[in-house]
Amino acid sequence: MPNPLLNDPITQPLPAFDQLQPEHAEPALDAVLEQNRAQLAALLAAGQTPTWNTLIEPLETMSDRIQRAWGPVSHLFSVNNTPAWREVYNVCLPKLTEYSIEVSQSEALYQAYLALSNSAEFADYSTPRRKVITDALRDFKLSGIGLPDADKERYKTVSLKLSELQTKFEEHLIDAIQAWSKLVTDESLLAGMSEAARQAAAEKAKSKDLQGWLLTLDFPSFDAVITYADNRALREELYTAYATRASDQGPQAGQFDNGPLMDEILSLRHTLAQLLGFANYAELSLTTKMAESPTEVDSFLADLAHRAKPRAQAELDELRAFALRLDGIDTLQPWDIAYYSEKLKTEKLGLSEEALRPYFPIPGVLRGMFALVERLYGIRIEEAPGIATWHADVTTWALKNAEGIEFGLFYLDPYARPEKRSGAWMDECISRRRTPDGLQHPSAYLVCNFTPPPAGKPALLTHDEVLTLFHEFGHGLHHLLTAVEEGSVSGIRGVAWDAVELPSQFMENWCYDPATLRGFARHWESGAALPDDQIEKLRASRSFQSGLATLRQLEFGLFDLRLHRDYDPSIGARVLDTIQAVRDEVAVMHPPAFNRMPWSFSHIFAGGYAAGYYSYKWAEVLSADAFAAFEETGFAPETGIRFRDTVLAQGGSKEAMELFIEFRGRKPTVDALLRHSGLSEAHA
């Protein structure tokens, strides 16, 4: 059988997931790396004056070749984390990292890019092509191209080790989640939980030949307990296990401890930053972002905290008084927050997440989300059957233009599974680019972890889960609606990291828009529309406890920034000291001493958000201001087309601020965010 990871990129545009086997991955990657090294050597030995066609175009083909060999392996590591796929991922990753460093530290290749940037034809290149070259020159410097040979070797050694440690951090977290469970045999302990949540727990128990209800640490199971279970001791038990995942505390203390990994990761990042001439890793991180300095980011976050803290304190005081009045709880604990918040929301607003679920069946939410996007951007979205996937739950969808011509595709993997990484994310499968053989269309992965549907019924989402789906689809649209034909800056590539959340958070706004909700929020059995009074309550809920929610995000952002900015090798990581100092500054309630949130903070220790978690709030300012443009124009159709043609279509081909100004006519302001979240009144 031919290796399906080596399919021709033009005639076989999508991964053959029905044929992929772990044993194919390493030979496929080895073959591609060998081919690329030989091609690069030939390119650099040719001695010809570099041009776009003789240098950049072949390099983009080489990059695409690697994406096709490695992308499916990386994806399956996340969604099907079996021992076999984990093993092959860990074998292949160092090879890929070593190759990437080798290319990024090639003096001959750097000189070729430099010559191209200084050539007469550079001024005649399109804006996207010029940005491809200038971004590459910047990245060469950030990869240590100017370092002495000994420091280059040190850079390589540190980068390889970092790659290994960050993967191990994620593995520890997956293992910790999989290793913990609680079998409940007395159904009365589950009082307060929805029928769907209990049924899901019963199905989990049954799948393991157990009698009763199996509670686990995947988020749908945890949330079902922490938000709805009346039994306070059960909530505390789940909270303790969840808050101590992969740490030195809790029921699995020391078993999957990420503590030593964090220390080493932070030390090595600091080493990299100093090798490259930066004072700390935060400075290094911000070189590819919109924000100009750690001081600017710290001030931005601290200012928002100053605005939000009085409101958050008032919200917490109200919640404490409510819990005392309702159940005589005189000391509110962290495992009480979500539970009493949901009850308070029901009492104050007449709104219950569980009562809303029947109006958000996944098929209806998808139809509504697609209808919105079709209306905004003048496209069509249709199911694309017959495409190989990695699981029976996965569906495939084609994007088509107004004439019905397909221009993109995405995979949707919506439900939680034991071998699947927690959380929700979008990732690229294939990027759009112009090749010598024609235009290559983009494709994307959209992954969530919703509760699987009961037999014979659709999966019903909470409104928070609807927000998650819209959010990830926003990322997908950024990748799929690109009009850029240079692979290095098409879609989400080349976009400043603190602007990459703009399209995703922009999509969340529509989950509160009455016209949009009326279009898809319908009861899964009766077909009745979500009543208008519930829509208004849902809109009002947007500012419910917005102070507490804002402080939580700011706490994470400040912790991440200061952890990387203030790292001192003579003292070490000081993870607990740093999070404690941030909480002393911004939090209105502290968790118990055993809480080990950083130990599961994979965004910054295993993902791409190191010294960049602030991006969520930064981009929320952009997204709220962008949505305000729709409000100001009465949701005129041309506003959607303008957003498509500026922010979405141009991807990373221009600087993020330039694109925002092109859409909005000015720089962003924080006003819309404060208004949408109800914080402008609190600050006034």
Side-chain angles (χ1 to χ4, degrees):
M1 175 190 291
N3 191 328
L5 284 163
L6 289 174
N7 284 330
D8 178 81
I10 303 303
T11 59
Q12 299 289 336
L14 293 168
F17 280 110
D18 56 341
Q19 300 175 41
L20 296 189
Q21 299 297 327
E23 59 267 22
H24 290 143
E26 188 179 4
L29 185 63
D30 286 343
V32 165
L33 295 179
E34 181 181 355
Q35 183 181 0
N36 277 14
R37 284 187 170 106
Q39 186 174 354
L40 180 59
L43 278 176
L44 297 176
Q48 57 187 326
T49 302
T51 67
W52 182 271
N53 290 338
T54 63
L55 180 69
I56 309 300
E57 183 58 50
L59 289 170
E60 295 232 321
T61 297
M62 291 159 61
S63 175
D64 194 72
R65 196 181 291 143
I66 286 181
Q67 174 64 21
R68 289 172 179 277
W70 173 248
V73 179
S74 176
H75 177 66
L76 289 169
F77 172 75
S78 295
V79 297
N80 187 32
N81 196 265
T82 61
W85 279 112
R86 177 181 292 194
E87 180 181 358
V88 77
Y89 179 90
N90 284 322
V91 167
C92 289
L93 183 60
K95 297 183 178 188
L96 183 67
T97 305
E98 186 164 1
Y99 168 83
S100 299
I101 296 169
E102 185 181 309
V103 171
S104 67
Q105 290 189 348
S106 166
E107 184 65 32
L109 185 57
Y110 172 65
Q111 291 300 329
Y113 268 97
L114 206 55
L116 191 52
S117 72
N118 292 325
S119 67
E121 69 178 54
F122 181 79
D124 297 327
Y125 283 159
S126 65
T127 299
R129 289 191 172 189
R130 288 199 303 271
K131 189 161 184 291
V132 167
I133 295 165
T134 54
D135 282 359
L137 289 171
R138 175 202 66 196
D139 293 342
F140 272 113
K141 292 176 181 176
L142 295 179
S143 297
I145 192 68
L147 297 177
D149 288 345
D151 285 346
K152 280 185 179 177
E153 192 58 35
R154 176 70 173 143
Y155 180 99
K156 179 179 177 180
T157 302
V158 170
S159 297
L160 285 166
K161 187 63 176 177
L162 266 174
S163 179
E164 174 193 331
L165 294 172
Q166 289 167 179
T167 299
K168 184 60 66 178
F169 185 99
E170 187 65 51
E171 288 179 355
H172 279 185
L173 189 53
I174 291 172
D175 290 344
I177 291 170
Q178 290 181 359
W180 190 93
S181 63
K182 177 180 177 64
L183 182 65
V184 174
T185 55
D186 179 1
E187 190 173 8
S188 68
L189 292 177
L190 307 181
M193 290 171 58
S194 70
E195 179 59 35
R198 281 181 284 177
Q199 189 171 342
E203 288 293 331
K204 282 184 179 177
K206 185 179 179 181
S207 71
K208 295 184 179 295
D209 297 321
L210 299 171
Q211 296 292 319
W213 298 263
L214 195 66
L215 305 178
T216 59
L217 294 183
D218 63 83
F219 189 77
S221 180
F222 169 73
D223 185 57
V225 174
I226 205 70
T227 307
Y228 299 103
D230 296 334
N231 190 295
R232 197 183 190 201
L234 183 66
R235 296 200 308 271
E236 180 179 1
E237 186 176 356
L238 265 287
Y239 172 88
T240 303
Y242 192 83
T244 57
R245 289 167 296 160
S247 80
D248 59 342
Q249 299 288 309
Q252 299 173 336
Q255 194 174 347
F256 309 103
D257 187 4
N258 271 334
L261 295 181
M262 291 190 295
D263 291 345
E264 197 169 356
I265 287 169
L266 290 165
S267 173
L268 292 175
R269 285 176 179 166
H270 187 75
T271 297
L272 272 189
Q274 297 218 309
L275 274 172
L276 294 172
F278 296 96
N280 52 67
Y281 189 82
E283 286 188 2
L284 169 58
S285 173
L286 293 183
T287 56
T288 57
K289 297 177 172 65
M290 289 178 71
E292 295 182 359
S293 70
T295 300
E296 181 185 10
V297 174
D298 198 293
S299 297
F300 165 73
L301 297 174
D303 176 64
L304 275 180
H306 173 69
R307 294 170 183 266
K309 193 168 184 178
R311 182 184 178 106
Q313 186 62 62
E315 291 166 351
L316 182 61
D317 292 344
E318 179 185 37
L319 191 63
R320 282 175 169 147
F322 175 75
L324 181 63
R325 171 170 61 83
L326 192 68
D327 288 329
I329 302 295
D330 53 7
T331 304
L332 198 69
Q333 298 289 352
W335 46 89
D336 299 322
I337 299 291
Y339 177 77
Y340 286 106
S341 292
E342 180 63 21
K343 288 189 175 300
L344 178 60
K345 184 167 68 174
T346 302
E347 180 180 283
K348 283 189 71 173
L349 303 179
L351 193 71
S352 160
E353 281 279 2
E354 284 302 316
L356 291 175
R357 268 190 197 269
Y359 292 93
F360 296 127
I362 270 196
V365 173
L366 286 175
R367 284 194 299 271
M369 184 171 72
F370 295 162
L372 166 70
V373 168
E374 290 171 346
R375 174 171 58 82
L376 285 176
Y377 305 133
I379 64 171
R380 288 158 48 185
I381 302 174
E382 299 173 3
E383 192 157 9
I387 295 173
T389 66
W390 54 92
H391 192 275
D393 289 339
V394 180
T395 52
T396 48
W397 302 83
L399 276 68
K400 300 181 179 181
N401 64 17
E403 289 73 42
I405 299 171
E406 184 175 327
F407 64 85
L409 180 136
F410 68 93
Y411 300 83
L412 176 63
D413 185 353
Y415 305 122
R417 294 188 298 274
E419 293 83 19
K420 191 175 176 184
R421 195 182 93 202
S422 61
W425 66 92
M426 169 268 168
D427 200 2
E428 62 180 50
C429 174
I430 296 170
S431 291
R432 186 180 198 265
R433 72 182 188 97
R434 176 71 61 180
T435 78
D437 300 304
L439 186 63
Q440 176 173 286
H441 296 308
S443 56
Y445 306 117
L446 266 68
V447 185
C448 299
N449 271 284
F450 304 140
T451 302
K457 298 179 181 179
L460 304 177
L461 304 184
T462 65
H463 186 259
D464 276 349
E465 289 173 330
V466 174
L467 286 169
T468 296
L469 184 61
F470 273 60
H471 178 104
E472 299 307 333
F473 194 50
H475 282 307
L477 291 171
H478 201 186
H479 179 68
L480 297 167
L481 291 182
T482 188
V484 179
E485 297 186 355
E486 290 74 21
S488 300
V489 291
S490 76
I492 59 174
R493 293 186 177 187
V495 178
W497 201 257
D498 43 7
V500 82
E501 296 293 337
L502 163 56
S504 54
Q505 293 186 330
F506 168 79
M507 280 294 289
E508 293 184 30
N509 290 282
W510 299 98
C511 299
Y512 297 96
D513 175 56
T516 304
L517 286 168
R518 290 187 191 107
F520 75 85
R522 296 186 174 275
H523 197 283
W524 75 274
E525 287 180 302
S526 69
L530 183 64
D532 282 352
D533 69 316
Q534 290 295 299
I535 290 177
E536 288 309 307
K537 290 171 182 175
L538 195 53
R539 286 167 59 79
S541 74
R542 191 173 192 179
S543 59
F544 177 76
Q545 293 189 346
S546 61
L548 288 169
T550 298
L551 285 192
R552 181 174 182 270
Q553 286 296 95
L554 297 175
E555 177 184 308
F556 290 173
L558 283 167
F559 164 68
D560 165 48
L561 178 75
R562 294 175 183 176
L563 193 66
H564 289 93
R565 183 194 66 189
D566 301 337
Y567 182 83
D568 182 343
S570 67
I571 301 174
R574 299 175 63 249
V575 172
L576 286 176
D577 289 344
T578 303
I579 190 67
Q580 183 62 42
V582 170
R583 286 169 177 160
D584 287 344
E585 180 180 337
V586 305
V588 292
M589 181 176 181
H590 287 222
F594 64 74
N595 181 286
R596 290 293 186 269
M597 180 280 291
W599 275 246
S600 59
F601 201 176
S602 58
H603 275 75
I604 69 168
F605 288 111
Y609 284 87
Y613 194 81
Y614 76 90
S615 299
Y616 282 101
K617 271 298 166 193
W618 186 278
E620 198 175 346
V621 171
L622 304 178
S623 66
D625 203 356
F627 190 74
F630 286 78
E631 296 173 320
E632 291 162 12
T633 60
F635 299 94
E638 56 267 25
T639 310
I641 299 302
R642 193 169 77 254
F643 187 77
R644 180 197 69 188
D645 292 344
T646 53
V647 175
L648 298 178
Q650 297 192 59
S653 66
K654 293 181 181 178
E655 295 300 331
M657 184 62 79
E658 186 179 347
L659 289 176
F660 185 90
I661 293 172
E662 194 175 321
F663 167 68
R664 197 68 170 98
R666 56 164 174 75
K667 288 187 174 182
T669 72
V670 75
D671 299 349
L673 172 62
L674 297 176
R675 174 168 54 82
H676 289 159
S677 57
L679 293 177
S680 52
E681 298 91 335
H683 190 61

